[in-house]
Amino acid sequence: MTKKDRVAIVTGGSRGIGRAISERLAADGQTVVIAYASNAVEANKTVQSIVKNGGKAIAIKTDISDEVAVSKLFDIAEKNFGGVDVVVNSAGIMGLNTIANFDLNKLDQIIRTNIRGTFVIDQQAARRVRSGGAIINLSTSVKKLALPTYAAYSASKGAVDAISLVLAKELRGRDITVNAVAPGPTATELFFEGKDEETIDRMAKMNPIERLGKPEDIAEVVSFLAGPGRWINGQTIYVNGGMV
């Protein structure tokens, strides 16, 4: 099976890093099923961009923490395109504050989306991805920095790493790879939100290349893992320009 035969589900695929991943996999020849949480306008823009460039894509509104909704997402992919070969879970939310002052309701939301959502997506992926496929979960490089205010987000992504590495071993004999990709600071709306220019400039210079990552930088690594990168399995890959 070549890339052109493969079908990919990308959660959070309508904006930011997720959109870049969706567009890159489509450019590789994969059919892309984009799962989005609420923004139908952006999801449809992504689909239109892919189709305009000769690719195939559809968008499905999905709550990734809801096992019934996720099962339906996979049903739709299988019904329309015959199966699922690649699952990229890039959906996630962030909340920043000190541990002492963190809103526990926000903590519950982060846990539900980032941890439960990853678990639910991976559960269906483990049951349905075809032999020769790949499961890729988005983590974060910020775990290694121990930055103040990032405790909740970092903890949730630490769980993503753990789920990914365990699943890789659980799928022994299936010829399915499972990896986590951990971006560094990347130029997306989510990253810029609430940050002043000084903070953005400081974080951009934390890596020796001295720039922010671009969504396309992350998509390039995901493309490799989703296609030819068959001998990389059970790893967390840090994509951050050498920041840590």
Side-chain angles (χ1 to χ4, degrees), residues 9-33:
I9 291 175
V10 181
T11 73
S14 63
R15 291 188 292 175
I17 291 173
R19 175 169 181 167
I21 291 169
S22 297
E23 292 177 339
R24 175 58 186 265
L25 294 183
D28 290 340
Q30 300 202 36
T31 298
V32 180
V33 179

Side-chain angles (χ1 to χ4, degrees), residues 6 85-89 118-119 121-123 125-127 129-130 132-138 159-181 225-226 229-237:
R6 291 160 83 83
D85 304 287
V86 173
V87 174
V88 182
N89 186 42
T118 298
F119 200 100
I121 288 289
D122 282 5
Q123 185 175 69
R127 295 172 179 173
V129 167
R130 294 186 285 201
I135 301 168
I136 303 153
N137 295 315
L138 270 288
V160 169
D161 290 354
I163 292 167
S164 305
L165 275 53
V166 169
L167 183 57
K169 293 187 176 182
E170 290 181 348
L171 295 182
R172 175 183 292 274
R174 295 268 304 279
D175 190 24
I176 296 170
T177 61
V178 187
N179 294 287
V181 171
L225 294 173
R230 301 304 304 160
W231 202 232
I232 301 173
N233 191 26
Q235 305 298 315
T236 297
I237 300 173

Side-chain angles (χ1 to χ4, degrees), residues 35-217:
Y36 68 96
S38 58
N39 196 328
V41 172
E42 290 301 319
N44 288 328
K45 284 182 181 178
T46 305
V47 169
Q48 290 166 10
S49 172
I50 289 171
V51 171
K52 181 180 179 181
N53 287 290
K56 293 174 63 177
I58 61 172
I60 308 295
K61 184 176 181 180
T62 308
D63 176 356
I64 65 166
S65 67
D66 181 341
E67 63 272 27
V68 175
V70 171
S71 180
K72 288 180 180 178
L73 170 68
F74 278 76
D75 287 344
I76 291 169
E78 290 174 344
K79 180 178 179 181
N80 283 274
F81 306 115
V84 178
D85 304 287
V86 173
V87 174
V88 182
N89 186 42
S90 65
I93 62 173
M94 181 186 295
L96 302 179
N97 208 335
T98 61
I99 294 172
N101 297 309
F102 205 90
D103 182 345
L104 295 182
N105 289 324
K106 184 64 175 180
L107 176 64
D108 289 341
Q109 293 172 15
I110 290 171
I111 290 171
R112 183 167 181 86
T113 299
N114 296 4
I115 301 179
R116 179 185 169 91
T118 298
F119 200 100
V120 171
I121 288 289
D122 282 5
Q123 185 175 69
Q124 287 297 318
R127 295 172 179 173
R128 306 218 205 180
V129 167
R130 294 186 285 201
S131 178
I135 301 168
I136 303 153
N137 295 315
L138 270 288
S139 179
T140 180
S141 290
V142 78
K143 303 186 307 292
K144 287 190 173 185
L145 296 175
L147 292 177
T149 75
Y150 277 84
Y153 182 69
S154 296
S156 73
K157 291 300 188 176
V160 169
D161 290 354
I163 292 167
S164 305
L165 275 53
V166 169
L167 183 57
K169 293 187 176 182
E170 290 181 348
L171 295 182
R172 175 183 292 274
R174 295 268 304 279
D175 190 24
I176 296 170
T177 61
V178 187
N179 294 287
V181 171
T186 305
T188 65
E189 288 182 21
L190 182 65
F191 172 76
F192 288 125
E193 186 176 346
K195 294 182 178 70
D196 58 31
E197 287 298 324
E198 182 181 355
T199 300
I200 292 168
D201 186 59
R202 175 173 51 80
M203 296 186 76
K205 292 181 178 177
M206 291 175 77
N207 69 76
I209 301 176
E210 295 191 339
R211 68 167 174 85
L212 293 175
K214 297 178 290 186
E216 293 77 14
D217 294 325

